[in-house]
Amino acid sequence: MTNNKAVLSWLEEMKALTTPDNVVWIDGTQEQIDKLRAEAVAEGELFKLNQEKLPGCYLHRTAENDVARVEDRTFICTTKKEDAGPTNNWEAPDVMYAKLRKLFDGCMKGRTMYVIPYMMGSYGSPFSKIGIELTDSRYVVLNMLIMTRVGTKVLEELGDSDDFVKCLHAKKDIDAENRYICHFPEDNTIWTINSGYGGNVLLGKKCFALRIASHMGHKEGWMAEHMLILGLENPEGEVKYIAAAFPSACGKTNLAMLIPPEMLKGYKVWTVGDDIAWLRIGKDGRLWAVNPEAGFFGVAPGTSTKTNPNALKTTMKDTIFTNVLLNTADNTVWWEGLDGEPPKEGIDWKGNPWTPESGVKGAHPNSRFTAPAKQCPCISSEFEAPEGVPISAIVFGGRRAKTAPLVYEAFDWQHGVFVGATMASETTAAAAGAVGVVRRDPMAMIPFCGYNMADYFAHWLEMGKKIPNPPKIFHVNWFRLDENGKFMWPGFGDNLRVLNWILDRCEGKADAKETAIGYLPEAKDINIEGLDISAETLEKLLSVDKSVWKEEVEGQKEFFAKFGDRLPKEIKDEIEKLSARLA
Ligand code: TSX
Ligand code: MN
């Protein structure tokens, strides 16, 4: 498929290491996709769902020990340990390559190696980047075909360049003890073994588009962020774009596909991306964003016509479901939190017979859909725009019971970076571990930053100085609780009311009051027309409890201490300024 010498010599080297029986180049044609699907069904890798109700849809089950990303087995392999930083696992590249070579040695014997040339970003965009993933998994191939742009056209764009990320994956034995997800940012390489789960093996996504790309962005003066991108159209037809970072379990995909409430009918949300944003300074001095992905790899449980009808519609065809419940009555799928009654019987994510009385979950809590973004009813017309979309506001969020108000605006870029760096979420019963524990997750990048996070903060600060016309930075919290432990804010579509204040602030059209933590709206500034919420509750949602915040500052200081001297002075200054304002 190519005469590119760099590609061919690397492929020969990887073939010699893994010794596959066959090599198949993925060209992206429908004929090849159909063939791969048929083979995967014949091998039991995929189950063909009801093709009348769910055309082109399939179900896959992973091994029981292989259902999520594994952060303790994820490594950033840089020459110097400090370049990976205190929040990443590190190993020296030569040591890790030696260890992995032993694991990869001959591991594709009797198997087929698939060569997937893929592009992150749209064809023809100056910001797109190319990767080639070698894998022995048809499931990976079929997912990559949805999540990225795959095929001959990518090799044409690559030409004879050696500028591509070299990705190697082998399922081997799905042995959790020898599972490795390893990044070598200094030589554009990702090697991963003994897993078949999405986040560990769809190497274009977290591994490339966040970990390797964040390292590239640091060197080259742009940013790879764990952010959704949405366009908000007002009744006059003007669209403004927001990029937003949230820790897991905050409903990022739901926000990216938000449907406005009845009362705000003239508004419309357009989805540009639900997970990753590559941000660059445009010729006009604004910050511009592209979504490098081509699909959504979304969490299924909790997705319903109430929480996210657009996501459901996106998954009605050509979608791969992973670890959901199979409804055996009609060969469709189900998960906890989907509308209506659960099926009377089915096969659960482990492959066991299931009924609602089984006492176990039908779908794994981290079960997923892989669906083409183009099928989303609210996909933005700018989804593939080569230069991306101009960002008016950056929004950080968290799940906080008491600390953070519904929304606040940072004083300036530097303070905004601090607001992002102090992002945190309180664990819910749904997550593993204790309930109510604060997890610090700056910019939602803790698991995804491919270099020292102290340098990452410095890069954010540096970018602020280089953007002539920077977006304003905000923080939101949809999850504040009242004294009875009830959510005070209705969330979901009504979050649009908060986004409207945010965009009005960006245009100088809305008021705010100055508080110790930033600019907050007055109750009158949030439109609650048609909402069943008392003035008193709104006041509470917009209040700042100084004693709670003083405790919060202590937690922030403790967290930042791990970065030692490498932590930028500006961050230390901001924490001192916040302390002083709270005193
Ligand atoms: O996704 C959510 N968003 C963002 C939506 C655009 N969720 C789902 C949980 C995260 C996966 C939310 N849950 C949101 C939210 O804004 N808010 C809440 C909390 C909440 C839950 C239920 C109700 C209100 C708030 N209402 C009733 O139960 C009637
Ligand atoms: Mn994510």
Side-chain angles (χ1 to χ4, degrees):
M1 286 230 307
T2 182
N3 295 318
N4 182 308
K5 289 205 179 71
V7 173
L8 294 176
S9 69
W10 168 67
L11 177 61
E12 282 314 310
E13 200 190 319
M14 296 301 104
K15 272 165 64 183
L17 174 63
T18 58
T19 65
D21 284 14
N22 304 299
V23 173
V24 172
W25 288 78
I26 303 302
D27 57 20
T29 59
Q30 191 58 46
E31 297 72 55
Q32 193 182 40
I33 294 171
D34 292 343
K35 183 161 179 277
L36 287 162
R37 283 170 166 178
E39 286 170 8
V41 169
E43 296 274 318
E45 217 173 328
L46 290 184
F47 178 85
K48 195 176 201 166
L49 293 163
N50 185 323
Q51 295 298 299
E52 261 127 60
K53 292 186 176 169
L54 297 168
C57 292
Y58 294 82
L59 169 67
H60 173 78
R61 295 189 195 98
T62 65
E64 276 181 48
N65 75 2
D66 190 29
V67 293
R69 288 183 297 103
V70 280
E71 285 170 24
D72 58 323
R73 312 223 44 104
T74 301
F75 288 78
I76 302 295
C77 305
T78 44
T79 311
K80 287 193 226 140
K81 182 166 191 203
E82 311 85 81
D83 289 345
T87 60
N88 281 312
N89 299 309
W90 173 85
E91 185 55 88
D94 50 349
V95 174
M96 187 55 91
Y97 277 131
K99 187 186 283 191
L100 292 180
R101 273 204 190 91
K102 279 190 198 134
L103 291 173
F104 275 106
D105 187 16
C107 75
M108 292 192 194
K109 188 146 192 55
R111 308 180 57 80
T112 296
M113 173 191 271
Y114 299 95
V115 183
I116 315 171
Y118 69 94
M119 179 169 277
M120 302 311 292
S122 56
Y123 293 120
S125 162
F127 306 130
S128 295
K129 300 245 176 218
I130 290 172
I132 301 183
E133 179 164 353
L134 310 179
T135 178
D136 58 356
S137 161
R138 284 189 201 87
Y139 171 75
V140 168
V141 174
L142 291 166
N143 273 275
M144 287 292 284
L145 279 156
I146 298 171
M147 294 305 295
T148 73
R149 283 115 180 140
V150 170
T152 9
K153 204 163 164 185
V154 175
L155 290 172
E156 279 164 26
E157 290 220 8
L158 183 64
D160 54 15
S161 164
D162 63 355
D163 186 12
F164 65 97
V165 177
K166 302 182 279 275
C167 307
L168 176 65
H169 163 248
K171 289 193 286 191
K172 199 165 162 99
D173 314 307
I174 315 292
D175 169 11
E177 305 285 298
N178 282 300
R179 185 167 298 156
Y180 285 95
I181 294 86
C182 297
H183 308 73
F184 303 88
E186 289 159 5
D187 40 24
N188 271 356
T189 296
I190 305 163
W191 282 14
T192 162
I193 192 159
N194 274 312
S195 175
Y197 168 78
N200 299 327
V201 298
L202 307 179
L203 299 184
K205 193 175 177 65
K206 304 302 193 180
C207 298
F208 178 172
L210 286 176
R211 298 195 191 96
I212 296 287
S214 64
H215 177 99
M216 291 174 169
H218 182 221
K219 280 191 307 191
E220 299 167 7
W222 53 281
M223 303 156 95
E225 298 297 332
H226 192 196
M227 289 177 172
L228 66 88
I229 309 164
L230 65 82
L232 177 43
E233 180 175 337
N234 68 15
E236 289 74 51
E238 298 157 346
V239 186
K240 295 261 151 55
Y241 295 91
I242 294 175
F246 291 84
S248 55
C250 287
K252 218 162 102 197
T253 303
N254 298 343
L255 187 66
M257 300 177 187
L258 176 149
I259 293 184
E262 252 327 277
M263 280 307 300
L264 299 173
K265 263 209 286 288
Y267 292 86
K268 180 101 181 66
V269 166
W270 300 105
T271 309
V272 181
D274 79 326
D275 197 37
I276 298 174
W278 285 358
L279 302 157
R280 285 182 177 75
I281 304 168
K283 292 184 197 86
D284 62 354
R286 289 189 292 176
L287 195 61
W288 288 69
V290 299
N291 167 17
E293 301 193 280
F296 306 122
F297 185 64
V299 174
T303 307
S304 70
T305 52
K306 286 223 174 69
T307 61
N308 195 341
N310 284 319
L312 278 188
K313 285 183 191 140
T314 309
T315 62
M316 294 311 283
K317 63 175 189 192
D318 292 328
T319 293
I320 300 172
F321 296 92
T322 302
N323 292 342
V324 299
L325 180 104
L326 173 66
N327 181 349
T328 39
D330 62 354
N331 281 337
T332 57
V333 290
W334 184 84
W335 47 78
E336 280 72 17
L338 186 60
D339 316 64
E341 295 294 304
K344 296 213 166 43
E345 56 180 29
I347 298 181
D348 71 13
W349 69 272
K350 292 183 178 177
N352 297 323
W354 181 93
T355 71
E357 288 74 43
S358 294
V360 296
K361 291 212 151 76
H364 187 276
N366 193 34
S367 55
R368 301 277 171 156
F369 52 79
T370 318
K374 278 188 180 154
Q375 292 175 189
C376 182
C378 56
I379 195 70
S380 166
S381 60
E382 305 308 297
F383 170 61
E384 306 222 84
E387 311 283 336
V389 294
I391 298 299
S392 298
I394 289 176
V395 176
F396 295 120
R399 183 185 266 265
R400 304 303 299 264
K402 292 204 288 255
T403 326
L406 179 61
V407 59
Y408 64 100
E409 178 191 331
F411 294 122
D412 51 34
W413 182 272
Q414 176 174 309
H415 179 236
V417 174
F418 174 74
V419 167
T422 52
M423 263 173 68
S425 246
E426 281 148 41
T427 50
T428 64
V435 175
V437 173
V438 178
R439 286 238 175 93
R440 304 236 152 244
D441 188 1
M443 284 84 166
M445 281 292 280
I446 279 276
F448 306 117
C449 185
Y451 60 106
N452 191 316
M453 206 142 200
D455 299 347
Y456 169 84
F457 298 146
H459 183 48
W460 264 85
L461 293 163
E462 205 49 45
M463 287 294 292
K465 290 180 200 152
K466 290 188 198 152
I467 312 170
N469 201 346
K472 283 185 187 288
I473 301 179
F474 298 82
H475 186 280
V476 299
N477 175 23
W478 317 132
F479 301 95
R480 202 151 171 182
L481 303 178
D482 66 13
E483 310 75 52
N484 305 316
K486 285 243 157 62
F487 291 115
M488 288 195 280
W489 181 248
F492 300 96
D494 289 309
N495 293 337
L496 183 70
R497 301 166 188 275
V498 174
L499 300 185
N500 277 343
W501 180 77
I502 286 174
L503 289 180
D504 283 349
R505 283 295 292 169
C506 294
E507 290 176 61
K509 291 201 294 207
D511 285 339
K513 61 184 174 201
E514 192 169 337
T515 75
I517 63 165
Y519 297 117
L520 257 79
E522 306 268 11
K524 69 166 173 56
D525 302 322
I526 301 285
N527 176 3
I528 54 165
E529 210 185 326
L531 256 195
D532 184 19
I533 184 171
S534 68
E536 202 187 335
T537 303
L538 188 57
E539 289 288 348
K540 267 194 232 159
L541 277 162
L542 298 174
S543 65
V544 178
D545 182 333
K546 284 196 173 178
S547 69
V548 174
W549 271 89
K550 282 178 190 166
E551 252 176 78
E552 169 69 10
V553 167
E554 291 314 305
Q556 294 173 357
K557 282 185 182 161
E558 196 182 315
F559 175 74
F560 285 134
K562 75 166 75 175
F563 299 103
D565 291 344
R566 209 138 160 167
L567 187 73
K569 180 178 174 299
E570 290 89 336
I571 299 289
K572 290 176 211 153
D573 289 349
E574 286 298 329
I575 206 161
E576 287 315 317
K577 287 198 273 182
L578 174 58
S579 285
R581 290 192 302 262
L582 288 166

